[in-house]
Amino acid sequence: MKIEVRTNIKKEIKKLGKLNRGLKKELIVNSVNNLAFRAQKFEKIAARKHLDRPTKQTLNSIVVKKRAKVKSENAILGFRPWAEEFIKYPILGGVRPVQDTGVPTWNKKLNRHGNIAGRKSGLVKGKNQFIKTINGITGVWESRGRANNKKLRLLVKFVDNPRYESIFPWFRVANKVARTFVSVDVPRAWNYMTRKKGFK
């Protein structure tokens, strides 16, 4: 899930007056990188807002994968490889091709990040829980109560090919950041360059 942010940087550079080719190239590179790292911060804010209690690890998976350079004026914002497979579904939506994956119901207590706790060690927890197909529904069931008051409730339902809705506006956030802050980050990059090179 990579995105290349494009914006009208050259238009903003013209406002600074005439610059030689070398300075203009360097200014473009610095401005693009400023925008990329700014977009990274806003994507993390958007992830907290639109995703269900994302973990710190998920938020930190949003990275600037490639910085702009003189030979390539593009910066690429994306995710670390381990996160790319699952994060594409809340961004793009669609069907996840998987068989018998466990989906928690309202009865299942989740951890603070909205996930099934201890999933890797198994979905059945405790002697009153078991996997069975009841009324055509296969999943993890729990028996509660005693004798005539016994009741069953579904904790985790097994489904094939779950469908996801697009809820994380990844592309819209990055493009909005580029359009909104280009007039801020070009002068910012120019001020940095002038201080570094010792001229005004």
Side-chain angles (χ1 to χ4, degrees):
M1 294 306 307
K2 297 183 291 187
I3 183 170
E4 293 185 35
V5 177
R6 295 184 181 182
T7 189
N8 198 349
I9 287 179
K10 292 180 180 180
K11 180 180 177 181
E12 293 298 323
I13 289 178
K14 285 182 179 179
K15 297 178 182 179
L16 299 174
K18 290 185 178 181
L19 302 176
N20 66 48
R21 189 171 182 274
L23 282 177
K24 189 176 292 186
K25 275 274 190 181
E26 186 178 352
L27 182 52
I28 290 173
V29 168
N30 288 335
S31 299
V32 169
N33 286 330
N34 283 346
L35 285 167
F37 283 101
R38 190 186 291 275
Q40 179 191 26
K41 292 179 182 179
F42 275 85
E43 292 290 9
K44 289 184 178 182
I45 294 171
R48 292 189 188 97
K49 179 179 179 181
H50 295 283
L51 300 181
D52 183 13
R53 291 165 285 178
T55 65
K56 184 177 180 180
Q57 188 179 20
T58 297
L59 295 175
N60 288 338
S61 72
I62 302 173
V63 293
V64 177
K65 303 195 76 169
K66 176 186 173 185
R67 296 190 185 198
K69 297 181 180 179
V70 174
K71 291 184 178 180
S72 174
E73 297 173 356
N74 293 325
I76 297 177
L77 184 65
F79 294 88
R80 297 192 185 279
W82 64 265
E84 288 181 349
E85 178 58 30
F86 76 85
I87 204 70
K88 67 182 180 183
Y89 293 106
I91 294 176
L92 300 176
V95 176
R96 181 184 174 197
V98 65
Q99 302 297 312
D100 291 330
T101 186
V103 177
T105 68
W106 290 106
N107 297 321
K108 180 65 176 177
K109 186 177 180 181
L110 305 177
N111 64 21
R112 62 192 179 95
H113 297 296
N115 300 319
I116 298 175
R119 185 171 191 141
K120 291 183 178 180
S121 62
L123 295 175
V124 176
K125 310 291 183 183
K127 62 181 181 179
N128 293 327
Q129 295 182 15
F130 53 90
I131 296 176
K132 193 173 183 179
T133 301
I134 300 176
N135 296 327
I137 300 175
T138 302
V140 178
W141 295 82
E142 182 179 57
S143 175
R144 307 188 75 188
R146 296 181 179 180
N148 295 332
N149 292 323
K150 269 193 174 184
K151 294 182 179 180
L152 294 176
R153 65 174 187 169
L154 180 64
L155 301 180
V156 178
K157 182 180 180 181
F158 293 154
V159 300
D160 297 335
N161 305 321
R163 178 174 291 277
Y164 294 81
E165 298 295 326
S166 175
I167 58 174
F168 183 7
W170 167 259
F171 298 101
R172 180 162 56 85
V173 170
N175 281 302
K176 186 175 181 180
V177 169
R179 292 194 306 270
T180 303
F181 290 98
V182 62
S183 60
V184 175
D185 283 333
V186 170
R188 178 187 172 197
W190 177 244
N191 289 336
Y192 170 79
M193 286 172 58
T194 54
R195 289 197 305 270
K196 183 179 178 181
K197 295 178 182 299
F199 64 86
K200 295 183 179 181

